[in-house]
Amino acid sequence: MGDIAKLSAGGADFEYPVIKGSVGPDVIDIRKLYGQTGMFTYDPGFTSTAACESALTFIDGDEGVLLHRGYAIGELAEHSTFMETSYLLLNGELPNQAQLDDFTRTISRHTMLHEQLATFYRGFRRDAHPMAIMCGVVGALSAFYHDSTDIADPVHRKISSHRLIAKMPTIAAMAYKYSVGQPFVYPDNSLSYTGNFLRMTFGVPAENYEVNPVVERALDRIFILHADHEQNASTSTVRLAGSSGANPFACIAAGIACLWGPAHGGANEAALNMLHEIGTPDRIPHYIERARDKNDPFRLMGFGHRVYKNYDPRATVMQQTVREVFTALKVSDPVFEVALQLEEMALNDPYFMEKKLFPNVDFYSGVILSAIGFPTTMFTVLFALARTVGWVAQWNEMISDPGQKIGRPRQLYTGPANRSYVPLTKR
Ligand code: ACO
């Protein structure tokens, strides 16, 4: 018999099974709690609640560990490609060469968009935020690809998953092109997933576009770093939307909407703005002082994380990648020097040490993306592009789980109890 957790409530004792995962905290199985005690648990923000079983991603925030299917993110970023990591997330194992070639070929066969979608783009205002376009266009995919929306059919699920991963770079690049008034660039399937995206974003029909291999590798690595991150807000949104049986295109559109928020996908833009505002290393102590001041709402953007209470392992890779990109593009942006010195000072500051505030993935990503040439409005779009594989893998895992139920949280009601209707003339 496994461990049990005991609870005394309302004068009675109850026992609940403790379930063990492969690594990480055990969970108390409270599914019978309401039936037995008539009480709910209260956990706004789900800080202590596991809402599902998952074999995809493991995070140990205290140790700064992030594993996909058991492989450390640092190793994947160094040795793998985004296509290979995508295969791993979707299928559970690293592919052999033939499997990788087959997967890459399948994804590249789905990169084009239905031609009518170009007309759909033209309905947006030119100054629309690209994330607004992403929400709309991805949601609309189910209107264009309804031949793969039967979620009970595993073949439909596979095709829609491949379509989403393959078409996201095309959709994202078109959102950018539309905002700058340039013609859409069709995919070129002779290029890599990331090289193709760079060409569709920065290429123009009038000129040949040469993919810079260092930039291609750096962006591919950024995609790997953002591919999945366990049950974060947008992933939980995708799962919740999917739990009702909604089609995958609609579910991923819901995830994109959630990711848009500044507390989730928008932090790298805020971090970059802050580095620009600081401007020169001599001004860093003033900003550190402000971050420590309880009466000042200022926070060091790109520092701290709900789960990581140690160095975010993705930030380490990001820092190396900035150096490579800056060297390859011969960029010497003073914000990088500000970032390096700010990091060093903060890491040695008692306030940040005591509160376990370390750089997160967003601290350096804005610096790199802006050096590559992306406007800040595209930062969250790139995050959405990469996270699509995680969302799709999590959605598939949920749909194939026989124990899956519609997500339906309960509440602690604090409004008025039952009262009689008061006629309008008596109010
Ligand atoms: N600068 C200064 N102080 C900070 C910072 C920061 N960046 N982050 C947290 N603190 C302080 C808080 O003021 C609080 O102090 P207190 O205990 O004296 O009240 C303490 O550290 C704990 O902070 P919380 O906000 O309670 O921690 P939580 O886990 O809820 O927040 C969060 C995590 C939102 C990421 C926070 O660290 C933050 O606002 N960081 C800046 C924004 C940012 O970089 N977000 C990106 C996250 S990564 C991602 O989403 C991909």
Side-chain angles (χ1 to χ4, degrees):
M1 173 151 166
D3 290 346
I4 48 161
K6 294 183 180 175
L7 172 78
S8 294
D13 293 331
F14 303 92
E15 291 187 346
Y16 296 97
V18 174
I19 308 177
K20 290 195 178 302
S22 43
V23 267
D26 300 340
V27 302
I28 304 170
D29 179 354
I30 53 150
R31 278 176 288 185
K32 295 204 170 117
L33 181 91
Y34 176 58
Q36 290 176 342
T37 65
M39 290 183 206
F40 299 138
T41 54
Y42 182 60
D43 185 18
F46 305 111
T47 53
S48 297
T49 298
C52 63
E53 261 184 45
S54 181
L56 274 127
T57 294
F58 173 74
I59 303 174
D60 182 336
D62 294 327
E63 296 297 325
V65 170
L66 167 59
L67 310 176
H68 292 317
R69 303 282 194 184
Y71 295 101
I73 190 67
E75 279 195 73
L76 290 172
E78 194 180 340
H79 305 296
S80 181
T81 62
F82 183 64
M83 275 297 93
E84 193 184 55
T85 302
S86 300
Y87 183 98
L88 172 71
L89 282 166
L90 289 167
N91 299 290
E93 296 297 334
L94 286 168
N96 60 29
Q97 191 63 54
Q99 289 165 327
L100 181 60
D101 291 346
D102 185 48
F103 178 69
T104 309
R105 200 166 33 247
T106 307
I107 294 297
S108 57
R109 291 270 156 79
H110 285 291
T111 50
M112 284 199 300
L113 282 188
H114 192 291
E115 195 58 21
Q116 236 178 310
L117 270 161
T119 327
F120 192 84
Y121 273 78
R122 297 200 170 95
F124 290 102
R125 278 171 57 136
R126 281 279 171 200
D127 59 356
H129 195 289
M131 280 300 276
I133 299 182
M134 295 295 286
C135 290
V137 174
V138 175
L141 289 181
S142 49
F144 289 87
Y145 301 102
H146 39 76
D147 58 340
S148 59
T149 51
D150 178 1
I151 63 154
D153 183 337
V155 177
H156 277 224
R157 295 207 295 268
K158 197 167 185 177
I159 296 173
S160 58
S161 301
H162 290 161
R163 280 179 166 156
L164 275 158
I165 295 164
K167 293 183 196 307
M168 207 55 89
T170 317
I171 295 170
M174 284 169 73
Y176 171 69
K177 285 298 193 199
Y178 187 72
S179 72
V180 291
Q182 289 183 359
F184 298 140
V185 176
Y186 286 117
D188 175 349
N189 290 345
S190 68
L191 298 174
S192 71
Y193 184 87
T194 304
N196 183 34
F197 171 62
L198 282 166
R199 182 180 161 276
M200 288 191 290
T201 306
F202 298 119
V204 286
E207 284 173 18
N208 222 5
Y209 181 80
E210 291 275 326
V211 178
N212 179 324
V214 178
V215 172
E216 181 184 17
R217 180 70 192 121
L219 191 59
D220 199 72
R221 203 178 283 154
I222 291 174
F223 289 165
I224 294 173
L225 297 182
H226 287 89
D228 193 47
H229 210 229
E230 209 224 60
Q231 307 308 321
N232 57 84
S234 57
T235 302
S236 300
T237 302
V238 170
R239 279 187 177 259
L240 197 56
S243 76
S244 72
N247 75 68
F249 303 108
C251 296
I252 303 306
I256 293 173
C258 178
L259 186 74
W260 195 356
H264 192 1
N268 53 5
E269 182 177 342
L272 183 66
N273 291 340
M274 178 195 72
L275 293 172
H276 279 299
E277 190 187 315
I278 297 175
T280 48
D282 58 301
R283 284 161 52 86
I284 294 172
H286 169 64
Y287 283 86
I288 296 223
E289 203 44 57
R290 285 189 62 192
R292 294 158 52 138
D293 183 355
K294 275 219 156 300
N295 301 316
D296 188 333
F298 175 79
R299 282 186 171 202
L300 273 195
M301 298 312 288
F303 261 78
H305 195 276
R306 170 58 66 78
V307 179
Y308 293 114
K309 302 300 170 199
N310 201 324
Y311 211 99
D312 179 340
R314 301 168 300 172
T316 321
V317 183
M318 281 289 182
Q319 201 205 64
Q320 290 160 4
T321 310
V322 187
R323 285 184 201 282
E324 285 169 24
V325 169
F326 273 39
T327 310
L329 298 180
K330 301 190 177 57
V331 176
S332 66
D333 189 338
V335 291
F336 184 42
E337 196 46 44
V338 173
L340 285 174
Q341 292 200 26
L342 176 61
E343 177 188 336
E344 199 187 325
M345 283 178 82
L347 288 177
N348 291 303
D349 186 279
Y351 172 91
F352 288 87
M353 286 159 81
E354 184 199 315
K355 294 195 184 301
K356 298 190 175 159
L357 298 169
F358 293 85
N360 59 51
V361 67
D362 290 320
F363 189 63
Y364 286 108
S365 64
V367 178
I368 309 178
L369 296 176
S370 126
I372 294 176
F374 291 104
T376 47
T377 50
M378 282 294 286
F379 290 1
T380 320
V381 172
L382 296 168
F383 193 161
L385 187 167
R387 185 55 57 85
T388 294
V389 68
W391 291 331
V392 162
Q394 299 261 358
W395 175 82
N396 274 294
E397 185 182 57
M398 181 192 71
I399 298 290
S400 349
D401 178 353
Q404 186 262 325
K405 280 176 179 292
I406 184 167
R408 179 45 173 103
R410 306 306 292 256
Q411 63 173 10
L412 174 66
Y413 178 69
T414 55
N418 195 351
R419 50 182 170 164
S420 299
Y421 178 79
V422 182
L424 191 58
T425 50
K426 300 233 168 96
R427 278 177 244 157

